[in-house]
Amino acid sequence: MKFRGLGLALIGAVALALAACSGGREPNDAVGAKVLRNLLSKQGVNGKLISFKKIDGRALKTPNAEAYEFLYEAEVQFPEAYEADCANERARGRCAYLGLAQSQSFQKGEVLKAEGTLHFVRSDKGWVGEDQNAY
């Protein structure tokens, strides 16, 4: 009888550990900030992420995948002057990640308060962000 209780406890612990490793929980602030940093870097935005906070999120289910939409507020400081040319942006890119609907210029040291969304898709390796990394 003692071994049965111990076995059940071990099975429960293993299940919890596997859920944590496989991205069982939704993406958090740290993951969102890392994804946004990666995306801005890939887009050539020389801004420094000085704050990041998840403000909402929701699960999305499609016939082919389980996804998660992550809404955030962020502050990005520009160490050098920066021109965000949004008029020519045809695909989701730097302006979307900066929360900009139109072109905007930033002076050296200026801070942008942005709101935006990030998208994640569940895989067997965890949640895959728009930066194509699994978390």
Side-chain angles (χ1 to χ4, degrees):
M1 216 46 175
K2 289 181 185 178
F3 288 111
R4 184 171 184 219
L6 179 61
L8 290 174
L10 283 173
I11 289 171
V14 169
L16 284 173
L18 288 174
C21 291
S22 66
R25 292 177 285 181
E26 62 193 34
N28 60 25
D29 284 356
V31 169
K34 184 167 182 133
V35 171
L36 185 58
R37 275 190 206 95
N38 290 344
L39 291 170
L40 291 176
S41 177
K42 284 182 182 180
Q43 293 288 324
V45 177
N46 65 341
K48 178 182 176 186
L49 191 61
I50 57 174
S51 76
F52 184 92
K53 180 175 78 170
K54 177 179 175 179
I55 56 174
D56 202 2
R58 64 183 177 137
L60 304 171
K61 293 199 185 235
T62 68
N64 299 328
E66 184 179 344
Y68 189 79
E69 185 175 54
F70 185 115
L71 287 75
Y72 64 87
E73 290 178 337
E75 290 183 335
V76 178
Q77 184 175 39
F78 296 94
E80 302 296 327
Y82 180 74
E83 289 286 330
D85 181 14
C86 301
N88 296 322
E89 190 170 282
R90 301 288 178 239
R92 185 166 159 81
R94 71 189 77 172
C95 290
Y97 303 129
L98 290 170
L100 299 174
Q102 58 189 8
S103 298
Q104 193 169 338
S105 298
F106 299 94
Q107 300 301 313
K108 179 179 180 177
E110 190 172 349
V111 175
L112 167 67
K113 292 183 180 185
E115 290 185 1
T117 58
L118 296 172
H119 300 94
F120 295 84
V121 176
R122 187 185 297 276
S123 76
D124 58 345
K125 295 180 182 178
W127 289 104
V128 176
E130 290 182 60
D131 62 351
Q132 304 305 310
N133 293 318
Y135 299 94

